[in-house]
Amino acid sequence: MDNIVIVGDGAIGLLYSHFLSANNHISLISRKAKVINQYYYQDSDKSKIINVNVLSNKNLEQLKPIDTVIFAVKAYQVNEALAQLLPYLSPSCQLVLSHNGMSDLQAILTKLKSQHALYFLTTRLAGYKADSNTVVHTGDGESILGSCNDIATQGLPDIVKQLSAIPDIRHSKHIALIRWQKLLINIAINPLSAYYNVKNGELTAPRFSTEVFNLLSESCFIANKSGININLADTLATAYQVMTDTAFNYSSMQQDITHNRPTEIDAMCGYICQQGAKVGVKTPYNQYFLDMIRHKKSAN
Ligand SMILES: NC(=O)c1ccc[n+]([C@@H]2O[C@H](COP(=O)([O-])OP(=O)(O)OC[C@H]3O[C@@H](n4cnc5c(N)ncnc54)[C@H](OP(=O)(O)O)[C@@H]3O)[C@@H](O)[C@H]2O)c1
C-alpha cells in the first residue's frame, strides 16, 4: 500500500479518495477546522464511508514526507495549495495537478526541486457535494495522466499503475493537446451556461450558435498560433456532443455563480486572452465573457 496525499475535499478530491483508498493509504487535506468522516454515494446504493485519514491544513506537520500528492482543487486554488504543501514534499515527490482550465505550469515548475515530478490528470469522472462531507458520483469517463517535466516522463508508466484504482485511467504523451481540447469544450459550455443561467443542453438552441461559434473559432485560432494542432470543425462537433450528453446538467460555472462562489473563468476565457496577447492576436469574444462572468452575480 502506498501513501498518497489528496489536497481538497471537494467533489473530485472525494471521488479520487474513494477509488484510491481501495489499495492505498490516503491522507485527505481539508481547509475545514473540524475534521469529519467523508462519504461516497452513487445511484440508489447506500452511502459508503471513505476510508481516509482527513487532516486539517493547519496540522500538516503530522504528515510523513510526501511521496505522491494529488491537488484536486480549482485552478485558482492551486498556487496557495502548493505553497502550503511545499515544505512537506519528499525530495523525489510526484505531484499531480487535476483541474479544469489552465494554470501556469512554468511558474509551478520554478517552485519545485529538480527531482520533483509534475503530472497533470484530466478526468471525465463527475460528481457534486450533496453536503459538506458527501460526494455524489454522477458521471463516468476516462481519466488521462500526462507528464509536465522530463523526470515525470520517466515515471509516467509507474504512476499510472499506482493510480490504477481510478476507473479508466491511462497515460498519454499528448497531455498539452488534451488539456487544450478540454479547455475549448469548457469555453463553449461554461461561460454561456453561467451567463444565460441555462442547462448545458439548452446551448444547442440556434439562439446560442453565433456565440458558441465565435468563442470556439477565436479559441481555436489562438491554440493554433500557440502551436497546438486543433481543428475548429472537430471542436464544434465535440462541444455540441458534450452539450447533448450532459443536457440536463448545470455546468460547474453556472453552479459557482448560483452559489456566489468564485469561478474558473480566468483559467478559461482569461487564459485565451493571455495567450492572445502573447501572440499579438485580439480576443474580443473571450474578453467579453471574461468581463461578464467576473461581474456576474447570482440571480437568486
Ligand atoms: N465536480 C466535477 O464533476 C468535475 C469534473 C471534472 C473536472 N472538475 C474540475 O476539478 C477541479 C475540482 O473540482 P471540484 O468540483 O472538486 O471543486 P470543489 O468541490 O470546489 O473542490 C475543491 C476543494 O478544494 C478545497 N481546497 C481549496 N484549497 C485548498 C487548500 N489550500 N487546502 C485544502 N483544501 C483546499 C476546497 O475547500 P473549500 O470548500 O474550503 O473551498 C474544496 O473543498 C475543478 O477544476 C473542476 O472544474 C470537476
Side-chain angles (χ1 to χ4, degrees), residues 28-46:
L28 176 67
I29 312 294
S30 166
R31 291 203 285 204
K32 297 176 187 67
K34 196 161 167 239
V35 167
I36 44 177
N37 284 336
Q38 308 288 326
Y39 296 91
Y40 166 90
Y41 180 83
Q42 188 180 26
D43 296 331
S44 53
D45 281 1
K46 273 170 87 179

PDB file of all heavy atoms in Angstrom, residues 28-46:
ATOM      1  N   LEU A  28      -6.271  12.930   3.352  1.00  0.00           N
ATOM      2  CA  LEU A  28      -7.058  13.934   2.620  1.00  0.00           C
ATOM      3  C   LEU A  28      -6.953  15.264   3.363  1.00  0.00           C
ATOM      4  O   LEU A  28      -7.307  15.351   4.542  1.00  0.00           O
ATOM      5  CB  LEU A  28      -8.519  13.473   2.558  1.00  0.00           C
ATOM      6  CG  LEU A  28      -9.513  14.431   1.909  1.00  0.00           C
ATOM      7  CD1 LEU A  28      -9.232  14.587   0.415  1.00  0.00           C
ATOM      8  CD2 LEU A  28     -10.952  13.923   2.115  1.00  0.00           C
ATOM      9  N   ILE A  29      -6.439  16.276   2.666  1.00  0.00           N
ATOM     10  CA  ILE A  29      -6.226  17.582   3.314  1.00  0.00           C
ATOM     11  C   ILE A  29      -7.443  18.473   3.079  1.00  0.00           C
ATOM     12  O   ILE A  29      -7.849  18.704   1.938  1.00  0.00           O
ATOM     13  CB  ILE A  29      -4.980  18.299   2.743  1.00  0.00           C
ATOM     14  CG1 ILE A  29      -3.768  17.359   2.685  1.00  0.00           C
ATOM     15  CG2 ILE A  29      -4.670  19.558   3.535  1.00  0.00           C
ATOM     16  CD1 ILE A  29      -3.257  16.908   3.987  1.00  0.00           C
ATOM     17  N   SER A  30      -7.967  18.995   4.186  1.00  0.00           N
ATOM     18  CA  SER A  30      -9.158  19.852   4.138  1.00  0.00           C
ATOM     19  C   SER A  30      -8.815  21.217   4.720  1.00  0.00           C
ATOM     20  O   SER A  30      -7.935  21.325   5.569  1.00  0.00           O
ATOM     21  CB  SER A  30     -10.255  19.185   4.976  1.00  0.00           C
ATOM     22  OG  SER A  30     -11.295  20.073   5.226  1.00  0.00           O
ATOM     23  N   ARG A  31      -9.564  22.244   4.277  1.00  0.00           N
ATOM     24  CA  ARG A  31      -9.384  23.567   4.897  1.00  0.00           C
ATOM     25  C   ARG A  31     -10.304  23.749   6.090  1.00  0.00           C
ATOM     26  O   ARG A  31     -10.243  24.777   6.757  1.00  0.00           O
ATOM     27  CB  ARG A  31      -9.701  24.669   3.880  1.00  0.00           C
ATOM     28  CG  ARG A  31      -8.699  24.748   2.780  1.00  0.00           C
ATOM     29  CD  ARG A  31      -8.690  26.102   2.159  1.00  0.00           C
ATOM     30  NE  ARG A  31      -9.829  26.336   1.298  1.00  0.00           N
ATOM     31  CZ  ARG A  31      -9.813  27.228   0.318  1.00  0.00           C
ATOM     32  NH1 ARG A  31      -8.723  27.934   0.111  1.00  0.00           N
ATOM     33  NH2 ARG A  31     -10.866  27.407  -0.432  1.00  0.00           N
ATOM     34  N   LYS A  32     -11.188  22.760   6.286  1.00  0.00           N
ATOM     35  CA  LYS A  32     -12.170  22.922   7.366  1.00  0.00           C
ATOM     36  C   LYS A  32     -11.499  22.683   8.714  1.00  0.00           C
ATOM     37  O   LYS A  32     -10.650  21.800   8.839  1.00  0.00           O
ATOM     38  CB  LYS A  32     -13.328  21.933   7.178  1.00  0.00           C
ATOM     39  CG  LYS A  32     -14.073  22.224   5.888  1.00  0.00           C
ATOM     40  CD  LYS A  32     -15.154  21.240   5.599  1.00  0.00           C
ATOM     41  CE  LYS A  32     -15.730  21.491   4.219  1.00  0.00           C
ATOM     42  NZ  LYS A  32     -14.791  21.227   3.109  1.00  0.00           N
ATOM     43  N   ALA A  33     -11.893  23.497   9.699  1.00  0.00           N
ATOM     44  CA  ALA A  33     -11.273  23.386  11.021  1.00  0.00           C
ATOM     45  C   ALA A  33     -11.661  22.057  11.655  1.00  0.00           C
ATOM     46  O   ALA A  33     -10.850  21.403  12.306  1.00  0.00           O
ATOM     47  CB  ALA A  33     -11.726  24.548  11.886  1.00  0.00           C
ATOM     48  N   LYS A  34     -12.929  21.657  11.453  1.00  0.00           N
ATOM     49  CA  LYS A  34     -13.406  20.418  12.089  1.00  0.00           C
ATOM     50  C   LYS A  34     -13.284  19.277  11.079  1.00  0.00           C
ATOM     51  O   LYS A  34     -13.802  19.358   9.966  1.00  0.00           O
ATOM     52  CB  LYS A  34     -14.867  20.606  12.505  1.00  0.00           C
ATOM     53  CG  LYS A  34     -15.329  19.574  13.469  1.00  0.00           C
ATOM     54  CD  LYS A  34     -16.594  20.018  14.220  1.00  0.00           C
ATOM     55  CE  LYS A  34     -17.197  18.832  14.931  1.00  0.00           C
ATOM     56  NZ  LYS A  34     -18.556  18.564  14.506  1.00  0.00           N
ATOM     57  N   VAL A  35     -12.548  18.243  11.484  1.00  0.00           N
ATOM     58  CA  VAL A  35     -12.284  17.126  10.575  1.00  0.00           C
ATOM     59  C   VAL A  35     -13.311  16.022  10.828  1.00  0.00           C
ATOM     60  O   VAL A  35     -13.460  15.557  11.950  1.00  0.00           O
ATOM     61  CB  VAL A  35     -10.855  16.617  10.824  1.00  0.00           C
ATOM     62  CG1 VAL A  35     -10.620  15.290  10.158  1.00  0.00           C
ATOM     63  CG2 VAL A  35      -9.852  17.658  10.334  1.00  0.00           C
ATOM     64  N   ILE A  36     -14.039  15.646   9.763  1.00  0.00           N
ATOM     65  CA  ILE A  36     -15.113  14.666   9.938  1.00  0.00           C
ATOM     66  C   ILE A  36     -15.021  13.562   8.886  1.00  0.00           C
ATOM     67  O   ILE A  36     -14.277  13.683   7.923  1.00  0.00           O
ATOM     68  CB  ILE A  36     -16.505  15.335   9.836  1.00  0.00           C
ATOM     69  CG1 ILE A  36     -16.520  16.307   8.648  1.00  0.00           C
ATOM     70  CG2 ILE A  36     -16.913  15.995  11.119  1.00  0.00           C
ATOM     71  CD1 ILE A  36     -17.861  16.947   8.421  1.00  0.00           C
ATOM     72  N   ASN A  37     -15.826  12.487   9.092  1.00  0.00           N
ATOM     73  CA  ASN A  37     -15.864  11.401   8.104  1.00  0.00           C
ATOM     74  C   ASN A  37     -16.375  11.913   6.764  1.00  0.00           C
ATOM     75  O   ASN A  37     -17.189  12.833   6.706  1.00  0.00           O
ATOM     76  CB  ASN A  37     -16.803  10.282   8.577  1.00  0.00           C
ATOM     77  CG  ASN A  37     -16.161   9.452   9.666  1.00  0.00           C
ATOM     78  OD1 ASN A  37     -14.941   9.395   9.774  1.00  0.00           O
ATOM     79  ND2 ASN A  37     -16.980   8.829  10.498  1.00  0.00           N
ATOM     80  N   GLN A  38     -15.918  11.249   5.689  1.00  0.00           N
ATOM     81  CA  GLN A  38     -16.351  11.617   4.342  1.00  0.00           C
ATOM     82  C   GLN A  38     -17.119  10.442   3.744  1.00  0.00           C
ATOM     83  O   GLN A  38     -16.790   9.278   4.009  1.00  0.00           O
ATOM     84  CB  GLN A  38     -15.131  11.920   3.460  1.00  0.00           C
ATOM     85  CG  GLN A  38     -14.157  12.911   4.044  1.00  0.00           C
ATOM     86  CD  GLN A  38     -14.703  14.327   4.029  1.00  0.00           C
ATOM     87  OE1 GLN A  38     -15.429  14.699   3.108  1.00  0.00           O
ATOM     88  NE2 GLN A  38     -14.344  15.098   5.030  1.00  0.00           N
ATOM     89  N   TYR A  39     -18.095  10.749   2.897  1.00  0.00           N
ATOM     90  CA  TYR A  39     -18.949   9.696   2.347  1.00  0.00           C
ATOM     91  C   TYR A  39     -19.027   9.784   0.825  1.00  0.00           C
ATOM     92  O   TYR A  39     -18.935  10.878   0.244  1.00  0.00           O
ATOM     93  CB  TYR A  39     -20.368   9.802   2.920  1.00  0.00           C
ATOM     94  CG  TYR A  39     -20.413   9.565   4.400  1.00  0.00           C
ATOM     95  CD1 TYR A  39     -20.283  10.632   5.291  1.00  0.00           C
ATOM     96  CD2 TYR A  39     -20.544   8.282   4.914  1.00  0.00           C
ATOM     97  CE1 TYR A  39     -20.298  10.425   6.659  1.00  0.00           C
ATOM     98  CE2 TYR A  39     -20.564   8.064   6.287  1.00  0.00           C
ATOM     99  CZ  TYR A  39     -20.438   9.134   7.155  1.00  0.00           C
ATOM    100  OH  TYR A  39     -20.445   8.921   8.508  1.00  0.00           O
ATOM    101  N   TYR A  40     -19.231   8.581   0.228  1.00  0.00           N
ATOM    102  CA  TYR A  40     -19.373   8.453  -1.224  1.00  0.00           C
ATOM    103  C   TYR A  40     -20.750   7.855  -1.490  1.00  0.00           C
ATOM    104  O   TYR A  40     -21.170   6.919  -0.799  1.00  0.00           O
ATOM    105  CB  TYR A  40     -18.297   7.500  -1.742  1.00  0.00           C
ATOM    106  CG  TYR A  40     -18.498   7.001  -3.154  1.00  0.00           C
ATOM    107  CD1 TYR A  40     -17.965   7.684  -4.237  1.00  0.00           C
ATOM    108  CD2 TYR A  40     -19.220   5.828  -3.399  1.00  0.00           C
ATOM    109  CE1 TYR A  40     -18.145   7.210  -5.532  1.00  0.00           C
ATOM    110  CE2 TYR A  40     -19.399   5.357  -4.693  1.00  0.00           C
ATOM    111  CZ  TYR A  40     -18.851   6.056  -5.754  1.00  0.00           C
ATOM    112  OH  TYR A  40     -19.030   5.604  -7.028  1.00  0.00           O
ATOM    113  N   TYR A  41     -21.446   8.365  -2.507  1.00  0.00           N
ATOM    114  CA  TYR A  41     -22.801   7.893  -2.800  1.00  0.00           C
ATOM    115  C   TYR A  41     -22.978   7.821  -4.302  1.00  0.00           C
ATOM    116  O   TYR A  41     -22.576   8.732  -5.037  1.00  0.00           O
ATOM    117  CB  TYR A  41     -23.801   8.895  -2.199  1.00  0.00           C
ATOM    118  CG  TYR A  41     -25.240   8.529  -2.436  1.00  0.00           C
ATOM    119  CD1 TYR A  41     -25.899   7.627  -1.607  1.00  0.00           C
ATOM    120  CD2 TYR A  41     -25.940   9.091  -3.493  1.00  0.00           C
ATOM    121  CE1 TYR A  41     -27.215   7.286  -1.831  1.00  0.00           C
ATOM    122  CE2 TYR A  41     -27.259   8.755  -3.726  1.00  0.00           C
ATOM    123  CZ  TYR A  41     -27.893   7.850  -2.890  1.00  0.00           C
ATOM    124  OH  TYR A  41     -29.192   7.515  -3.117  1.00  0.00           O
ATOM    125  N   GLN A  42     -23.547   6.705  -4.772  1.00  0.00           N
ATOM    126  CA  GLN A  42     -23.839   6.603  -6.204  1.00  0.00           C
ATOM    127  C   GLN A  42     -25.181   5.920  -6.399  1.00  0.00           C
ATOM    128  O   GLN A  42     -25.468   4.901  -5.768  1.00  0.00           O
ATOM    129  CB  GLN A  42     -22.757   5.798  -6.939  1.00  0.00           C
ATOM    130  CG  GLN A  42     -22.940   5.842  -8.446  1.00  0.00           C
ATOM    131  CD  GLN A  42     -21.876   5.041  -9.175  1.00  0.00           C
ATOM    132  OE1 GLN A  42     -21.325   4.110  -8.621  1.00  0.00           O
ATOM    133  NE2 GLN A  42     -21.615   5.418 -10.414  1.00  0.00           N
ATOM    134  N   ASP A  43     -25.974   6.448  -7.319  1.00  0.00           N
ATOM    135  CA  ASP A  43     -27.291   5.907  -7.660  1.00  0.00           C
ATOM    136  C   ASP A  43     -28.097   5.629  -6.385  1.00  0.00           C
ATOM    137  O   ASP A  43     -28.165   6.468  -5.510  1.00  0.00           O
ATOM    138  CB  ASP A  43     -27.160   4.637  -8.506  1.00  0.00           C
ATOM    139  CG  ASP A  43     -26.501   4.945  -9.838  1.00  0.00           C
ATOM    140  OD1 ASP A  43     -26.666   6.085 -10.303  1.00  0.00           O
ATOM    141  OD2 ASP A  43     -25.821   4.077 -10.378  1.00  0.00           O
ATOM    142  N   SER A  44     -28.675   4.420  -6.330  1.00  0.00           N
ATOM    143  CA  SER A  44     -29.533   4.155  -5.176  1.00  0.00           C
ATOM    144  C   SER A  44     -28.805   3.335  -4.106  1.00  0.00           C
ATOM    145  O   SER A  44     -29.419   2.825  -3.182  1.00  0.00           O
ATOM    146  CB  SER A  44     -30.791   3.418  -5.639  1.00  0.00           C
ATOM    147  OG  SER A  44     -30.386   2.293  -6.384  1.00  0.00           O
ATOM    148  N   ASP A  45     -27.472   3.176  -4.282  1.00  0.00           N
ATOM    149  CA  ASP A  45     -26.697   2.461  -3.251  1.00  0.00           C
ATOM    150  C   ASP A  45     -26.779   3.211  -1.920  1.00  0.00           C
ATOM    151  O   ASP A  45     -27.047   4.405  -1.897  1.00  0.00           O
ATOM    152  CB  ASP A  45     -25.209   2.416  -3.638  1.00  0.00           C
ATOM    153  CG  ASP A  45     -24.935   1.347  -4.658  1.00  0.00           C
ATOM    154  OD1 ASP A  45     -25.885   0.676  -5.062  1.00  0.00           O
ATOM    155  OD2 ASP A  45     -23.757   1.233  -5.051  1.00  0.00           O
ATOM    156  N   LYS A  46     -26.451   2.458  -0.846  1.00  0.00           N
ATOM    157  CA  LYS A  46     -26.307   3.151   0.442  1.00  0.00           C
ATOM    158  C   LYS A  46     -25.011   3.959   0.392  1.00  0.00           C
ATOM    159  O   LYS A  46     -24.050   3.535  -0.267  1.00  0.00           O
ATOM    160  CB  LYS A  46     -26.213   2.124   1.563  1.00  0.00           C
ATOM    161  CG  LYS A  46     -27.586   1.698   2.086  1.00  0.00           C
ATOM    162  CD  LYS A  46     -27.494   0.539   2.989  1.00  0.00           C
ATOM    163  CE  LYS A  46     -27.251   0.782   4.421  1.00  0.00           C
ATOM    164  NZ  LYS A  46     -27.200  -0.475   5.195  1.00  0.00           N
TER     165      LYS A  46
END
